[in-house]
Amino acid sequence: MKIVDGPGFVPGDLLAQINSPADLKKLSKEQLTQVSDELRQFIIDLVSVKGGHFGASLGVVELTVALHYVFNTPYDQLVWDVGHQAYGHKILTGRRDVFHTNRKYKGISGFPKRSESEYDTFGVGHSSTSIGAALGMAVASKYLNIKDKQHIAVIGDGSMTAGMAFEALNHAGVENANLLVVLNDNCMSIDPNVGALKEYLTDITTSHTYNKAKDKVWELLGKISKFGPNAQEIASKIENAVKTSLLKQSNLFESLKFRYFGPIDGHDVQRLATVLADMKDIPGPKILHVLTKKGKGYKYAEEGNTTLWHAPGVFNKETGEIIKVIPKDPQPPKYQDVFGHTIVELAEKNLKIMGITPAMPSGSSLNIMMKAMPDRAVDVGIAEQHAVTFSAGLATQGLVPFCNIYSSFMQRAYDQVVHDVALQKLKVVFCLDRGGLQEQTVQHITAHLILLISVAFQI
Ligand SMILES: Cc1ncc(C[n+]2csc(CCOP(=O)(O)OP(=O)(O)O)c2C)c(N)n1
């Protein structure tokens, strides 16, 4: 990759020496805390001036450091979900000095990209693909009789709400391939996460009895495991018995034949490194539930509106003031704002109107209706396909769903638009936003054509 001259962003002493994960591995476990602090500061320095995604990358700083410290990347396959949280990963994997070109023309991509680096094992942007992709890699290794390769998917609690993630979990449970899923649980999607899974994860996290007993069991198991393979087997049996009796709910993942570990503090980098190293030797599908805070380590993001700090644009890092770019000429109102206010206006007149968003209440401004009419506007999670079919179901009962989906994410739900809505001539109003002129223009145009056809069918 061509190194572009840095514009004066100075990394800390340890970070300055890390040009690849091999350099990170030279450090002691104790030094990982300092590296994490320096990495976090570097991200703050850069994003405050250059813009980009912010809160998610800050939240996984320690996890990123621990993963690259413990695993043998890029031989071991590390797959990020969505990829908006992979800034630390990019900086540690040889892109520190070009990171100021992030998301710029001819610069590096804001998301992992296979053609950009061998460390970017899978191209991302749309959510909930990591488990399926990492499972594919793990099954390939099994088939090719490669035994020493690790396959790790890092997925957020928001992305875990999608059907694709569940489809992959369901499949993984019977493959017995070497797969580690790291569930990065910060209770947030872009907006607060929603759904029963979120409540379930909170239950696990807050169960004091479970957590206290679990820590004791882990401590004991660590000691037993050192006595060889037989002892490991006994340890595993004890662990399963204790976990099952302690918390029946933990069986959600275990009933899918994953071994569940956690929850653990995702900001304790040394403990993370120890746990990940221990988990390397456990065969088959396993899940590590890690608790993190979006925006961790930057006061204004931690204490302020987490949604706003997801991708704040440029800001003054000293005061936390987000700098609004005021265009010279007056601009037309944004589509999302027109939508947000209009749907409320229409819904006041027509009691059959309902609003649906898949995980974008702020981005679509459906949050205006969610506040004004909470029983008539719903966030269904990162689940575009479900959003469309759910809307179709509402329509069968005579309601009038307004289903708002970003144009790009609607690609996920073409089949549902055709099969569940159009062919049945159901009246669903699709409100598509963010269809701009970019690389995927052709796909967007196709999407809009399909929607036009669906509207035609309804007439
Ligand atoms: C299919 C799809 N729908 C919507 C989005 C928009 N989106 C980007 S990040 C995000 C939230 C992801 O939440 P989570 O996985 O918990 O990660 P966090 O940001 O909390 O780290 C959403 C909804 C997307 N990237 N892909």
mmCIF file of all heavy atoms in Angstrom, residues 347-391:
data_model
loop_
_atom_site.group_PDB
_atom_site.id
_atom_site.type_symbol
_atom_site.label_atom_id
_atom_site.label_comp_id
_atom_site.label_asym_id
_atom_site.label_seq_id
_atom_site.Cartn_x
_atom_site.Cartn_y
_atom_site.Cartn_z
ATOM 1 N N ALA A 347 -50.787 9.922 10.171
ATOM 2 C CA ALA A 347 -51.281 8.933 11.140
ATOM 3 C C ALA A 347 -52.326 9.535 12.073
ATOM 4 O O ALA A 347 -53.200 8.823 12.581
ATOM 5 C CB ALA A 347 -50.108 8.369 11.939
ATOM 6 N N GLU A 348 -52.232 10.852 12.291
ATOM 7 C CA GLU A 348 -53.265 11.491 13.124
ATOM 8 C C GLU A 348 -54.620 11.434 12.439
ATOM 9 O O GLU A 348 -55.663 11.296 13.065
ATOM 10 C CB GLU A 348 -52.879 12.954 13.392
ATOM 11 C CG GLU A 348 -51.948 13.071 14.589
ATOM 12 C CD GLU A 348 -51.228 14.412 14.645
ATOM 13 O OE1 GLU A 348 -51.439 15.265 13.742
ATOM 14 O OE2 GLU A 348 -50.425 14.581 15.591
ATOM 15 N N LYS A 349 -54.572 11.487 11.083
ATOM 16 C CA LYS A 349 -55.825 11.473 10.320
ATOM 17 C C LYS A 349 -56.289 10.054 10.050
ATOM 18 O O LYS A 349 -57.487 9.793 9.962
ATOM 19 C CB LYS A 349 -55.621 12.192 8.982
ATOM 20 C CG LYS A 349 -55.396 13.669 9.178
ATOM 21 C CD LYS A 349 -55.322 14.383 7.833
ATOM 22 C CE LYS A 349 -54.796 15.786 8.027
ATOM 23 N NZ LYS A 349 -53.700 16.127 7.147
ATOM 24 N N ASN A 350 -55.362 9.146 9.846
ATOM 25 C CA ASN A 350 -55.723 7.771 9.481
ATOM 26 C C ASN A 350 -55.228 6.808 10.553
ATOM 27 O O ASN A 350 -54.027 6.532 10.652
ATOM 28 C CB ASN A 350 -55.105 7.419 8.119
ATOM 29 C CG ASN A 350 -55.482 6.023 7.670
ATOM 30 O OD1 ASN A 350 -56.023 5.236 8.440
ATOM 31 N ND2 ASN A 350 -55.193 5.715 6.408
ATOM 32 N N LEU A 351 -56.146 6.284 11.331
ATOM 33 C CA LEU A 351 -55.763 5.453 12.487
ATOM 34 C C LEU A 351 -55.177 4.108 12.081
ATOM 35 O O LEU A 351 -54.689 3.361 12.925
ATOM 36 C CB LEU A 351 -56.975 5.236 13.396
ATOM 37 C CG LEU A 351 -57.498 6.498 14.088
ATOM 38 C CD1 LEU A 351 -58.697 6.201 14.960
ATOM 39 C CD2 LEU A 351 -56.386 7.158 14.912
ATOM 40 N N LYS A 352 -55.224 3.795 10.789
ATOM 41 C CA LYS A 352 -54.692 2.503 10.344
ATOM 42 C C LYS A 352 -53.192 2.565 10.026
ATOM 43 O O LYS A 352 -52.561 1.538 9.809
ATOM 44 C CB LYS A 352 -55.456 2.025 9.102
ATOM 45 C CG LYS A 352 -56.892 1.683 9.457
ATOM 46 C CD LYS A 352 -57.609 1.066 8.296
ATOM 47 C CE LYS A 352 -58.946 0.542 8.776
ATOM 48 N NZ LYS A 352 -59.815 0.200 7.658
ATOM 49 N N ILE A 353 -52.653 3.750 9.976
ATOM 50 C CA ILE A 353 -51.235 3.878 9.600
ATOM 51 C C ILE A 353 -50.322 3.437 10.739
ATOM 52 O O ILE A 353 -50.529 3.795 11.902
ATOM 53 C CB ILE A 353 -50.926 5.334 9.181
ATOM 54 C CG1 ILE A 353 -51.589 5.616 7.822
ATOM 55 C CG2 ILE A 353 -49.416 5.582 9.106
ATOM 56 C CD1 ILE A 353 -51.423 7.033 7.329
ATOM 57 N N MET A 354 -49.321 2.618 10.368
ATOM 58 C CA MET A 354 -48.302 2.161 11.326
ATOM 59 C C MET A 354 -46.926 2.498 10.736
ATOM 60 O O MET A 354 -46.765 2.484 9.512
ATOM 61 C CB MET A 354 -48.367 0.636 11.510
ATOM 62 C CG MET A 354 -49.714 0.078 11.874
ATOM 63 S SD MET A 354 -50.107 0.344 13.595
ATOM 64 C CE MET A 354 -49.154 -0.943 14.365
ATOM 65 N N GLY A 355 -45.945 2.714 11.591
ATOM 66 C CA GLY A 355 -44.582 2.996 11.112
ATOM 67 C C GLY A 355 -43.629 1.862 11.495
ATOM 68 O O GLY A 355 -43.709 1.342 12.610
ATOM 69 N N ILE A 356 -42.773 1.487 10.559
ATOM 70 C CA ILE A 356 -41.835 0.383 10.824
ATOM 71 C C ILE A 356 -40.430 0.793 10.401
ATOM 72 O O ILE A 356 -40.232 1.308 9.298
ATOM 73 C CB ILE A 356 -42.232 -0.900 10.038
ATOM 74 C CG1 ILE A 356 -43.573 -1.427 10.544
ATOM 75 C CG2 ILE A 356 -41.196 -2.019 10.192
ATOM 76 C CD1 ILE A 356 -44.713 -1.092 9.668
ATOM 77 N N THR A 357 -39.457 0.527 11.258
ATOM 78 C CA THR A 357 -38.056 0.716 10.877
ATOM 79 C C THR A 357 -37.222 -0.472 11.340
ATOM 80 O O THR A 357 -37.404 -0.950 12.452
ATOM 81 C CB THR A 357 -37.447 2.006 11.484
ATOM 82 O OG1 THR A 357 -36.042 2.040 11.190
ATOM 83 C CG2 THR A 357 -37.597 2.079 12.988
ATOM 84 N N PRO A 358 -36.290 -0.945 10.498
ATOM 85 C CA PRO A 358 -35.350 -1.944 10.991
ATOM 86 C C PRO A 358 -34.096 -1.259 11.545
ATOM 87 O O PRO A 358 -33.131 -1.017 10.831
ATOM 88 C CB PRO A 358 -35.030 -2.779 9.745
ATOM 89 C CG PRO A 358 -35.322 -1.882 8.588
ATOM 90 C CD PRO A 358 -36.197 -0.760 9.047
ATOM 91 N N ALA A 359 -34.153 -0.929 12.819
ATOM 92 C CA ALA A 359 -32.989 -0.435 13.580
ATOM 93 C C ALA A 359 -32.492 0.960 13.203
ATOM 94 O O ALA A 359 -31.358 1.304 13.542
ATOM 95 C CB ALA A 359 -31.826 -1.430 13.496
ATOM 96 N N MET A 360 -33.328 1.741 12.490
ATOM 97 C CA MET A 360 -32.858 3.084 12.161
ATOM 98 C C MET A 360 -33.859 4.153 12.616
ATOM 99 O O MET A 360 -34.239 5.034 11.818
ATOM 100 C CB MET A 360 -32.639 3.210 10.641
ATOM 101 C CG MET A 360 -31.688 2.187 10.047
ATOM 102 S SD MET A 360 -30.056 2.185 10.769
ATOM 103 C CE MET A 360 -29.217 3.341 9.747
ATOM 104 N N PRO A 361 -34.298 4.147 13.860
ATOM 105 C CA PRO A 361 -35.272 5.153 14.291
ATOM 106 C C PRO A 361 -34.742 6.580 14.151
ATOM 107 O O PRO A 361 -35.469 7.464 13.685
ATOM 108 C CB PRO A 361 -35.546 4.823 15.753
ATOM 109 C CG PRO A 361 -34.846 3.590 16.084
ATOM 110 C CD PRO A 361 -33.981 3.196 14.930
ATOM 111 N N SER A 362 -33.474 6.816 14.510
ATOM 112 C CA SER A 362 -32.947 8.185 14.378
ATOM 113 C C SER A 362 -32.669 8.501 12.919
ATOM 114 O O SER A 362 -33.054 9.561 12.419
ATOM 115 C CB SER A 362 -31.638 8.344 15.155
ATOM 116 O OG SER A 362 -31.849 8.083 16.492
ATOM 117 N N GLY A 363 -32.027 7.561 12.227
ATOM 118 C CA GLY A 363 -31.642 7.791 10.829
ATOM 119 C C GLY A 363 -32.831 8.013 9.919
ATOM 120 O O GLY A 363 -32.724 8.706 8.906
ATOM 121 N N SER A 364 -33.963 7.418 10.253
ATOM 122 C CA SER A 364 -35.143 7.578 9.394
ATOM 123 C C SER A 364 -36.097 8.647 9.938
ATOM 124 O O SER A 364 -37.071 8.995 9.294
ATOM 125 C CB SER A 364 -35.909 6.257 9.306
ATOM 126 O OG SER A 364 -36.495 5.962 10.566
ATOM 127 N N SER A 365 -35.814 9.120 11.157
ATOM 128 C CA SER A 365 -36.694 10.044 11.889
ATOM 129 C C SER A 365 -38.030 9.409 12.261
ATOM 130 O O SER A 365 -38.975 10.106 12.612
ATOM 131 C CB SER A 365 -36.932 11.356 11.125
ATOM 132 O OG SER A 365 -35.741 12.093 11.046
ATOM 133 N N LEU A 366 -38.136 8.080 12.188
ATOM 134 C CA LEU A 366 -39.355 7.449 12.698
ATOM 135 C C LEU A 366 -39.438 7.638 14.213
ATOM 136 O O LEU A 366 -40.491 7.487 14.822
ATOM 137 C CB LEU A 366 -39.404 5.949 12.358
ATOM 138 C CG LEU A 366 -40.757 5.297 12.655
ATOM 139 C CD1 LEU A 366 -41.826 5.753 11.660
ATOM 140 C CD2 LEU A 366 -40.691 3.768 12.669
ATOM 141 N N ASN A 367 -38.316 8.008 14.832
ATOM 142 C CA ASN A 367 -38.348 8.225 16.285
ATOM 143 C C ASN A 367 -39.343 9.321 16.670
ATOM 144 O O ASN A 367 -39.849 9.332 17.790
ATOM 145 C CB ASN A 367 -36.940 8.501 16.852
ATOM 146 C CG ASN A 367 -36.250 9.647 16.168
ATOM 147 O OD1 ASN A 367 -36.830 10.309 15.306
ATOM 148 N ND2 ASN A 367 -34.989 9.878 16.518
ATOM 149 N N ILE A 368 -39.671 10.206 15.729
ATOM 150 C CA ILE A 368 -40.659 11.247 16.033
ATOM 151 C C ILE A 368 -42.007 10.571 16.294
ATOM 152 O O ILE A 368 -42.696 10.852 17.266
ATOM 153 C CB ILE A 368 -40.769 12.262 14.859
ATOM 154 C CG1 ILE A 368 -39.410 12.908 14.612
ATOM 155 C CG2 ILE A 368 -41.844 13.306 15.139
ATOM 156 C CD1 ILE A 368 -39.348 13.802 13.372
ATOM 157 N N MET A 369 -42.367 9.632 15.418
ATOM 158 C CA MET A 369 -43.642 8.916 15.594
ATOM 159 C C MET A 369 -43.561 7.965 16.798
ATOM 160 O O MET A 369 -44.535 7.799 17.531
ATOM 161 C CB MET A 369 -43.960 8.118 14.322
ATOM 162 C CG MET A 369 -45.309 7.440 14.372
ATOM 163 S SD MET A 369 -45.616 6.507 12.853
ATOM 164 C CE MET A 369 -47.322 6.009 13.107
ATOM 165 N N MET A 370 -42.403 7.347 17.001
ATOM 166 C CA MET A 370 -42.263 6.418 18.129
ATOM 167 C C MET A 370 -42.511 7.145 19.441
ATOM 168 O O MET A 370 -43.033 6.573 20.394
ATOM 169 C CB MET A 370 -40.876 5.761 18.112
ATOM 170 C CG MET A 370 -40.715 4.730 17.001
ATOM 171 S SD MET A 370 -39.012 4.247 16.692
ATOM 172 C CE MET A 370 -38.729 3.103 18.006
ATOM 173 N N LYS A 371 -42.141 8.410 19.466
ATOM 174 C CA LYS A 371 -42.354 9.196 20.684
ATOM 175 C C LYS A 371 -43.818 9.628 20.786
ATOM 176 O O LYS A 371 -44.441 9.501 21.848
ATOM 177 C CB LYS A 371 -41.452 10.441 20.627
ATOM 178 C CG LYS A 371 -41.187 11.013 21.973
ATOM 179 C CD LYS A 371 -40.034 11.991 21.918
ATOM 180 C CE LYS A 371 -40.079 12.829 23.195
ATOM 181 N NZ LYS A 371 -39.655 14.183 22.970
ATOM 182 N N ALA A 372 -44.357 10.076 19.657
ATOM 183 C CA ALA A 372 -45.726 10.615 19.684
ATOM 184 C C ALA A 372 -46.770 9.508 19.783
ATOM 185 O O ALA A 372 -47.827 9.692 20.411
ATOM 186 C CB ALA A 372 -45.959 11.456 18.418
ATOM 187 N N MET A 373 -46.533 8.375 19.147
ATOM 188 C CA MET A 373 -47.525 7.288 19.088
ATOM 189 C C MET A 373 -46.819 5.957 19.322
ATOM 190 O O MET A 373 -46.664 5.155 18.399
ATOM 191 C CB MET A 373 -48.177 7.268 17.694
ATOM 192 C CG MET A 373 -48.722 8.592 17.266
ATOM 193 S SD MET A 373 -49.233 8.525 15.519
ATOM 194 C CE MET A 373 -50.096 10.073 15.408
ATOM 195 N N PRO A 374 -46.377 5.706 20.548
ATOM 196 C CA PRO A 374 -45.511 4.544 20.775
ATOM 197 C C PRO A 374 -46.114 3.211 20.363
ATOM 198 O O PRO A 374 -45.380 2.285 20.008
ATOM 199 C CB PRO A 374 -45.255 4.573 22.281
ATOM 200 C CG PRO A 374 -46.022 5.691 22.840
ATOM 201 C CD PRO A 374 -46.624 6.495 21.746
ATOM 202 N N ASP A 375 -47.438 3.098 20.380
ATOM 203 C CA ASP A 375 -48.028 1.801 20.007
ATOM 204 C C ASP A 375 -48.242 1.659 18.501
ATOM 205 O O ASP A 375 -48.728 0.636 18.030
ATOM 206 C CB ASP A 375 -49.355 1.582 20.750
ATOM 207 C CG ASP A 375 -50.311 2.736 20.513
ATOM 208 O OD1 ASP A 375 -49.832 3.841 20.167
ATOM 209 O OD2 ASP A 375 -51.533 2.545 20.650
ATOM 210 N N ARG A 376 -47.840 2.685 17.744
ATOM 211 C CA ARG A 376 -48.074 2.606 16.299
ATOM 212 C C ARG A 376 -46.787 2.703 15.475
ATOM 213 O O ARG A 376 -46.847 2.732 14.235
ATOM 214 C CB ARG A 376 -49.046 3.710 15.888
ATOM 215 C CG ARG A 376 -50.434 3.486 16.501
ATOM 216 C CD ARG A 376 -51.351 4.623 16.188
ATOM 217 N NE ARG A 376 -51.584 4.768 14.760
ATOM 218 C CZ ARG A 376 -52.214 5.809 14.228
ATOM 219 N NH1 ARG A 376 -52.665 6.791 15.009
ATOM 220 N NH2 ARG A 376 -52.403 5.875 12.924
ATOM 221 N N ALA A 377 -45.667 2.759 16.142
ATOM 222 C CA ALA A 377 -44.395 2.827 15.406
ATOM 223 C C ALA A 377 -43.428 1.874 16.070
ATOM 224 O O ALA A 377 -43.286 1.881 17.292
ATOM 225 C CB ALA A 377 -43.836 4.248 15.448
ATOM 226 N N VAL A 378 -42.758 1.051 15.260
ATOM 227 C CA VAL A 378 -41.951 0.011 15.873
ATOM 228 C C VAL A 378 -40.587 -0.147 15.201
ATOM 229 O O VAL A 378 -40.470 -0.078 13.971
ATOM 230 C CB VAL A 378 -42.746 -1.328 15.917
ATOM 231 C CG1 VAL A 378 -43.247 -1.725 14.554
ATOM 232 C CG2 VAL A 378 -41.911 -2.467 16.477
ATOM 233 N N ASP A 379 -39.579 -0.339 16.049
ATOM 234 C CA ASP A 379 -38.231 -0.706 15.592
ATOM 235 C C ASP A 379 -38.132 -2.218 15.750
ATOM 236 O O ASP A 379 -38.254 -2.739 16.859
ATOM 237 C CB ASP A 379 -37.204 0.012 16.481
ATOM 238 C CG ASP A 379 -35.770 -0.423 16.188
ATOM 239 O OD1 ASP A 379 -35.554 -1.251 15.286
ATOM 240 O OD2 ASP A 379 -34.860 0.088 16.885
ATOM 241 N N VAL A 380 -37.913 -2.914 14.637
ATOM 242 C CA VAL A 380 -37.909 -4.387 14.693
ATOM 243 C C VAL A 380 -36.510 -4.979 14.822
ATOM 244 O O VAL A 380 -36.344 -6.199 14.756
ATOM 245 C CB VAL A 380 -38.612 -5.004 13.449
ATOM 246 C CG1 VAL A 380 -40.053 -4.580 13.368
ATOM 247 C CG2 VAL A 380 -37.866 -4.657 12.163
ATOM 248 N N GLY A 381 -35.488 -4.130 15.019
ATOM 249 C CA GLY A 381 -34.107 -4.636 15.079
ATOM 250 C C GLY A 381 -33.493 -4.629 13.678
ATOM 251 O O GLY A 381 -34.157 -4.240 12.704
ATOM 252 N N ILE A 382 -32.231 -5.048 13.590
ATOM 253 C CA ILE A 382 -31.572 -5.032 12.267
ATOM 254 C C ILE A 382 -32.118 -6.222 11.480
ATOM 255 O O ILE A 382 -31.504 -7.286 11.435
ATOM 256 C CB ILE A 382 -30.042 -5.101 12.392
ATOM 257 C CG1 ILE A 382 -29.530 -4.055 13.401
ATOM 258 C CG2 ILE A 382 -29.397 -4.851 11.031
ATOM 259 C CD1 ILE A 382 -28.024 -4.013 13.532
ATOM 260 N N ALA A 383 -33.270 -6.030 10.877
ATOM 261 C CA ALA A 383 -33.988 -7.162 10.311
ATOM 262 C C ALA A 383 -34.857 -6.673 9.153
ATOM 263 O O ALA A 383 -36.088 -6.624 9.236
ATOM 264 C CB ALA A 383 -34.851 -7.788 11.404
ATOM 265 N N GLU A 384 -34.186 -6.310 8.050
ATOM 266 C CA GLU A 384 -34.912 -5.727 6.923
ATOM 267 C C GLU A 384 -35.938 -6.691 6.339
ATOM 268 O O GLU A 384 -37.066 -6.302 6.028
ATOM 269 C CB GLU A 384 -33.928 -5.273 5.836
ATOM 270 C CG GLU A 384 -33.122 -4.023 6.185
ATOM 271 C CD GLU A 384 -31.967 -4.276 7.151
ATOM 272 O OE1 GLU A 384 -31.647 -5.453 7.398
ATOM 273 O OE2 GLU A 384 -31.394 -3.297 7.662
ATOM 274 N N GLN A 385 -35.525 -7.954 6.187
ATOM 275 C CA GLN A 385 -36.459 -8.931 5.607
ATOM 276 C C GLN A 385 -37.703 -9.042 6.472
ATOM 277 O O GLN A 385 -38.836 -9.041 5.987
ATOM 278 C CB GLN A 385 -35.795 -10.314 5.501
ATOM 279 C CG GLN A 385 -34.661 -10.361 4.509
ATOM 280 C CD GLN A 385 -33.399 -10.900 5.148
ATOM 281 O OE1 GLN A 385 -32.937 -10.392 6.161
ATOM 282 N NE2 GLN A 385 -32.829 -11.919 4.553
ATOM 283 N N HIS A 386 -37.465 -9.148 7.762
ATOM 284 C CA HIS A 386 -38.585 -9.264 8.697
ATOM 285 C C HIS A 386 -39.447 -7.995 8.663
ATOM 286 O O HIS A 386 -40.674 -8.067 8.701
ATOM 287 C CB HIS A 386 -38.058 -9.524 10.109
ATOM 288 C CG HIS A 386 -39.084 -9.334 11.163
ATOM 289 N ND1 HIS A 386 -40.249 -10.079 11.216
ATOM 290 C CD2 HIS A 386 -39.167 -8.451 12.198
ATOM 291 C CE1 HIS A 386 -40.982 -9.673 12.246
ATOM 292 N NE2 HIS A 386 -40.350 -8.692 12.846
ATOM 293 N N ALA A 387 -38.797 -6.832 8.562
ATOM 294 C CA ALA A 387 -39.555 -5.571 8.534
ATOM 295 C C ALA A 387 -40.566 -5.597 7.388
ATOM 296 O O ALA A 387 -41.722 -5.178 7.542
ATOM 297 C CB ALA A 387 -38.609 -4.386 8.380
ATOM 298 N N VAL A 388 -40.143 -6.122 6.233
ATOM 299 C CA VAL A 388 -41.030 -6.137 5.064
ATOM 300 C C VAL A 388 -42.152 -7.167 5.247
ATOM 301 O O VAL A 388 -43.336 -6.865 5.036
ATOM 302 C CB VAL A 388 -40.217 -6.430 3.774
ATOM 303 C CG1 VAL A 388 -41.139 -6.637 2.583
ATOM 304 C CG2 VAL A 388 -39.255 -5.278 3.497
ATOM 305 N N THR A 389 -41.790 -8.363 5.674
ATOM 306 C CA THR A 389 -42.823 -9.400 5.817
ATOM 307 C C THR A 389 -43.772 -9.068 6.970
ATOM 308 O O THR A 389 -44.981 -9.303 6.886
ATOM 309 C CB THR A 389 -42.162 -10.784 6.024
ATOM 310 O OG1 THR A 389 -41.262 -10.998 4.941
ATOM 311 C CG2 THR A 389 -43.187 -11.899 6.054
ATOM 312 N N PHE A 390 -43.237 -8.497 8.023
ATOM 313 C CA PHE A 390 -44.064 -8.050 9.146
ATOM 314 C C PHE A 390 -45.064 -6.995 8.658
ATOM 315 O O PHE A 390 -46.253 -7.038 8.998
ATOM 316 C CB PHE A 390 -43.142 -7.488 10.234
ATOM 317 C CG PHE A 390 -43.829 -6.781 11.358
ATOM 318 C CD1 PHE A 390 -44.598 -7.484 12.283
ATOM 319 C CD2 PHE A 390 -43.698 -5.402 11.526
ATOM 320 C CE1 PHE A 390 -45.224 -6.837 13.338
ATOM 321 C CE2 PHE A 390 -44.319 -4.741 12.570
ATOM 322 C CZ PHE A 390 -45.086 -5.460 13.480
ATOM 323 N N SER A 391 -44.576 -6.074 7.827
ATOM 324 C CA SER A 391 -45.469 -5.050 7.266
ATOM 325 C C SER A 391 -46.559 -5.714 6.432
ATOM 326 O O SER A 391 -47.736 -5.315 6.486
ATOM 327 C CB SER A 391 -44.684 -4.076 6.378
ATOM 328 O OG SER A 391 -43.698 -3.434 7.132
#
